Amino acid sequence: MTLLAETARRIDTLVAQAQAAGRAPSLALGIVRDGTLVHLATAGDHPRPDADLQYRLGSITKTMTATLVMRERDAGRLTLDDPLERHLPGTAVGGLTLRQLLGHASGLLREPDGPWWERTEGTDLATLVAGVTTDKVGYPAWRGYHYSNLAYGLLGGVLERITGTPWARLLTERILDPLGLRRTTYRETEPYARGYVVHPWHDTLREEPRTDTGAMAPAGQLWSTVTDLARWAAFLADPTDEVLAADTLTEMCTPVMLNDLDSWRGGHGLGLELYRDGDRVYVGHGGSMPGYVAALTVHRPSRTAVVGFANSYGLRTGHIGGLSRQLLTLVLDAEPAPVAPWRPASAPPAAELAELTGRWWWMGIEYEVRADPAGELWAGRPGEPTLRFTRTGPDRWRGRCGEEDGEVLAVLRDPAGRAVGLDIGTFVFTRTPDQEP
């Protein structure tokens, strides 16, 4: 799959304009469709970027840390509402829950004590834990959204205590190796782009240090490439059970907190940022470390994503993130995902399924039930079958999407055994509008 020539030209132009306006020594953005990197747009030549050049991921690292936490939850070794103290004792904020830490709803301040952790050699976990006093709480949990790097340092400590495995090794074994992310590493590995601060008055470059952030590594340590980040974006769009169950990843994309109460355009799930663009919702994360910025933006329904890196602060996270969302919208508008063709069924549904199909009525409103080849029921207003039900037992079905997600559909039968009603959470649908529910 490739992009249309005109779409690619527009993307290349926008990336070139962003590199010049942001004074980025190098800038690279990749377009991902259906699990494949289909276009790479680059600008700048310090160094000349390609898909295998490493940059720092920064806080995109948090999406992987959160995935590791959710794996432990699915394995039954923790619950999201466990207090921190249960798994990482010794802080003064042990009553905060793992869910609050994942969703930046804990009220923790942004950074740990000491010098700016992103630019200095890191401490060990014991030192980090000892430094978390009550002064590190800005306000009560759930009062509002407050982004916290410290929260993810503590979550990394939780993972190490639960598994007995250092965070970096756990990450490699559970995520990087299974997904083939060979160029995503703890420390920089050639070829990599040096990171810079661009002087505001004479455009010279100051190279930034590349540190081992120690116990804060789960918040932002990693290095990666466009190729590897594209694979991670593809996983977020369509996960593999070897790494994380699809339902769990969907749970991670459910809002925990809104970070924009004025327009409701942004929020945070369990380790993933959420961005609303018109009728679409994107998921992903931004990243920055001294001398580097990065972007990861995914539209899960279409399996389309944009990933990108620059090696200076001139494009700060918000700017490269905004650019990635602009490019994603451009691709989705210009080249919508192809519509799957309708194909006839090979055989009619089983009799017990067929008798539930057709028109049903509730409070004078007409509904339609269809059977699909997978043996599920789809229901909704005529021509709009948006509700899916999966069979769980004789005459019982469970809603799997939409407003009936989780609700039970029970088939009501008359003395002769004929299906005469569908009871969905006490709302009874009948075969004609004249029947009493």
Side-chain angles (χ1 to χ4, degrees), residues 87-405:
H87 304 291
L88 188 65
T91 74
V93 297
L96 299 177
T97 69
L98 304 186
R99 187 188 306 275
Q100 292 162 355
L101 297 173
L102 284 165
H104 299 294
S106 68
L108 271 184
L109 297 184
R110 187 177 63 246
E111 315 295 1
D113 281 345
W116 184 16
W117 68 271
E118 296 179 350
R119 206 170 182 272
T120 55
E121 292 299 313
T123 61
D124 60 16
L125 180 59
T127 303
L128 178 68
V129 168
V132 182
T133 67
T134 54
D135 291 339
K136 301 308 292 183
V137 177
Y139 45 76
W142 297 121
R143 197 191 80 177
Y145 174 88
H146 188 74
Y147 189 88
S148 176
N149 287 308
L150 175 58
Y152 274 76
L154 297 175
L155 287 168
V158 167
L159 288 166
E160 292 198 7
R161 293 291 175 84
I162 287 176
T163 65
T165 303
W167 172 84
R169 191 198 315 164
L170 193 69
L171 176 77
T172 299
E173 293 173 352
R174 304 283 180 83
I175 294 178
L176 303 185
D177 283 351
L179 295 180
L181 304 184
R182 306 300 180 201
R183 289 278 288 148
T184 302
T185 56
Y186 188 91
R187 293 303 302 259
E188 65 273 26
T189 305
E190 294 283 12
Y192 68 90
R194 277 62 179 169
Y196 302 101
V197 170
V198 181
H199 196 282
W201 312 132
H202 46 67
D203 288 349
T204 57
L205 302 179
R206 183 188 75 219
E207 187 172 343
E208 284 295 286
R210 298 175 291 276
T211 60
D212 179 344
T213 55
M216 285 296 294
Q221 173 68 31
L222 295 178
W223 295 74
S224 193
T225 66
V226 169
T227 295
D228 272 16
L229 192 53
R231 288 175 180 156
W232 182 240
F235 166 80
L236 294 178
D238 187 14
T240 169
D241 285 343
E242 182 183 5
V243 174
L244 195 70
D247 285 349
T248 301
L249 186 49
T250 298
E251 182 183 356
M252 293 174 68
C253 299
T254 301
V256 173
M257 294 291 285
L258 290 174
N259 59 25
D260 174 9
L261 294 178
D262 294 325
S263 62
W264 290 32
R265 296 184 64 84
H268 211 285
L270 297 168
L272 289 167
E273 293 176 342
L274 312 173
Y275 321 100
R276 184 169 63 82
D277 187 296
D279 291 334
R280 300 184 183 111
V281 174
Y282 303 149
V283 304
H285 214 289
S288 71
M289 289 293 278
Y292 300 92
V293 291
L296 165 67
T297 309
V298 182
H299 184 241
R300 300 190 72 213
S302 67
R303 302 175 69 223
T304 306
V306 176
V307 299
F309 297 102
N311 61 334
S312 77
Y313 259 26
L315 279 174
R316 286 305 298 270
T317 309
H319 295 116
I320 195 172
L323 176 62
S324 72
R325 294 189 287 277
Q326 180 184 8
L327 298 185
L328 183 52
T329 298
L330 186 162
V331 170
L332 294 174
D333 287 347
E335 302 185 30
V339 176
W342 174 86
R343 291 186 174 89
S346 58
E352 61 180 349
L353 198 63
E355 70 169 331
L356 304 182
T357 63
R359 295 290 192 263
W360 294 88
W361 297 81
W362 176 77
M363 300 298 289
I365 302 171
E366 186 180 19
Y367 288 80
E368 179 179 274
V369 174
R370 295 176 177 268
D372 76 0
E376 295 183 323
L377 293 176
W378 287 86
R381 301 297 299 276
E384 301 176 1
T386 57
L387 305 175
R388 178 169 64 97
F389 293 87
T390 301
R391 181 178 169 140
T392 59
D395 284 341
R396 291 181 72 83
W397 302 73
R398 179 78 68 176
R400 296 303 183 196
C401 64
E403 63 183 1
E404 303 300 346
D405 190 17

Side-chain angles (χ1 to χ4, degrees), residues 405-428:
D405 190 17
E407 295 289 343
V408 173
L409 182 157
V411 180
L412 307 180
R413 297 186 180 276
D414 65 12
R418 293 184 295 262
V420 294
L422 303 178
D423 183 334
I424 306 177
T426 75
F427 295 176
V428 177

